[in-house]
């Protein structure tokens, strides 16, 4: 089973930026897509952004234009660059690897807190 390790979270003021990393223990092209989800306190987990093995990127409307997902295949790492952060972006951000069999693998998550 793939291991996914997120890093890069922290506390930032509104309008600031953070870059999250998701390091996978195996080749990221083994997966159909690597996605970022987020879960705020008391709310359901929601999709934020993702990148398919073919390089197609997808974003939730709430982050479009502010977040950018990218990858470094040599490092088996997927990044989430988050700019113009808002307090509403405060959440635990989780990396998800969806394989071609429809199985989902999850990391432990990294906390992002945006202060107003």
């Amino acid at each position: 089973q793939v291991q996914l390790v997120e890093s890069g979270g922290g506390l930032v003021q509104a309008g600031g930026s953070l870059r999250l990393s998701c390091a996978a223990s195996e080749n990221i092209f083994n997966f159909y897509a690597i996605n970022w989800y987020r879960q705020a306190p008391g709310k359901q987990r929601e999709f934020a952004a993702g990148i398919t093995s073919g390089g197609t990127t997808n974003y939730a409307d709430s982050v479009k234009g502010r977040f950018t997902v990218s990858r470094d295949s040599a490092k088996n790492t997927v990044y989430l660059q988050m700019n113009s952060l808002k307090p509403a972006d405060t959440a635990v951000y989780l990396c998800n690897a969806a394989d071609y069999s429809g199985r989902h693998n999850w990391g432990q998550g990294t906390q992002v807190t945006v202060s107003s």
Side-chain angles (χ1 to χ4, degrees), residues 15-18 63 65-68 81-86 89:
S17 299
L18 284 173
V63 308
R66 301 186 297 121
F67 290 11
T68 303
Q81 177 67 44
M82 306 187 296
N83 299 328
S84 302
L85 283 162
K86 305 174 181 179
D89 296 316

Side-chain angles (χ1 to χ4, degrees), residues 17-115:
S17 299
L18 284 173
R19 189 178 80 155
L20 306 184
S21 298
C22 171
S25 61
E26 61 182 82
N27 191 326
I28 58 175
F29 291 106
N30 290 342
F31 302 93
Y32 173 74
I34 306 290
N35 303 301
W36 287 97
Y37 283 75
R38 63 186 186 180
Q39 187 163 18
K43 295 188 177 181
Q44 287 192 325
R45 188 173 295 183
E46 63 175 10
F47 172 81
I51 185 166
T52 69
S53 58
T56 300
T57 56
N58 297 286
Y59 299 93
D61 287 344
S62 58
V63 308
K64 204 170 292 183
R66 301 186 297 121
F67 290 11
T68 303
V69 61
S70 62
R71 65 189 175 196
D72 184 335
S73 55
K75 296 182 179 179
N76 289 322
T77 298
V78 173
Y79 303 99
L80 184 65
Q81 177 67 44
M82 306 187 296
N83 299 328
S84 302
L85 283 162
K86 305 174 181 179
D89 296 316
T90 294
V92 174
Y93 283 71
L94 302 110
C95 183
N96 162 279
D99 69 21
Y100 289 91
S101 299
R103 289 175 297 199
H104 290 260
N105 304 273
W106 294 91
Q108 293 297 309
T110 186
Q111 176 70 47
V112 171
T113 303
V114 184
S115 63

